[in-house]
Amino acid sequence: MRIVHKVSDLHTELSDWRAGLESVALVPTMGNLHAGHASLVKRARQLGECVVVSIFVNPLQFGPHEDFERYPRTLAADAKLLEAEHADVVFAPAVADMYPAGYPPLTSVHVGGTVAETLEGDFRPGHFTGVATVVNILFNLVQPRVAIFGEKDWQQLQVIRRMVADLGMPVRIVGMPTLREADGLAMSSRNQYLQPDERARAPLLHAALQAVATATAEGRRDFDVLCAEQKAVLENAGFRPQYLEVREPDLTPPREDSARLVVLAAAHLGATRLIDNVSLRL
Ligand code: PAF
């Protein structure tokens, strides 16, 4: 496994693979890797002959009062995990390598519409533009045939799918199921911000989503009431929910004839912002 920081070194590494016409699978990450990321790399290993993992805490997708500065940077531990997962190339650039003409870039990729401008888009203005822009840059640099993302960031996955479809990008997007701790909490780098008492309550977010999903599977369609009930449960447990909603997989409002729905939520617990979702087939 090779770890490169510079774009020129990335090109040198990849040119050897490309010369052999090997297909590249990319796993974009912000590092601080856990078992959820490992599952993405395992899938990449099945889908591509060369597995590239990028590690870059992208300032462009963080709001001014978000956790960019304190986001955990753990390259040495990440490299161990990636070595064990048989990644071929780790690309860990600095901000100046990713935005060589200057930061912030003058060019960005903005995905509009319901897919990007509701839920996370409402509470994190500019976030998906930051994500779409950096993922676009990564696709340009790495030129993967396939890229793998976690379904924990369900809306992000749909935004990227839409960007790829709108811009005719020659890359297949693969989503992988969320990995959970034994108590149901979705694995996330941000879980380590939780104080012990918050960590004990954190699985209630998944439980609330699951309660809405179960009631929906049993036939309830009063989504506003259902979601309000579960938001109240979370508030009583000390969460500050931002949204808890039922949507079509593409984030549009639920239809009469929905075949699949997704329940999505974001909530603060202490100083930590947690997001999660569960999907259900009807
Ligand atoms: O999901 C993430 O870790 C990030 O949003 C991504 C896709 C690596 C872009 O910075």
Side-chain angles (χ1 to χ4, degrees), residues 5-7 56-57 59 91 93-103 141:
H5 302 281
K6 299 285 168 212
V7 169
F56 178 61
V57 185
F91 177 48
V95 172
D97 300 303
M98 281 300 275
Y99 299 104
Y103 184 83
L141 296 178

Side-chain angles (χ1 to χ4, degrees), residues 190-211:
R190 291 186 167 104
N191 291 349
Q192 62 197 268
Y193 300 155
L194 294 165
Q195 299 300 315
D197 66 306
E198 295 164 350
R199 173 62 190 83
R201 281 176 287 146
L204 290 173
L205 184 63
H206 177 237
L209 295 171
Q210 204 56 59

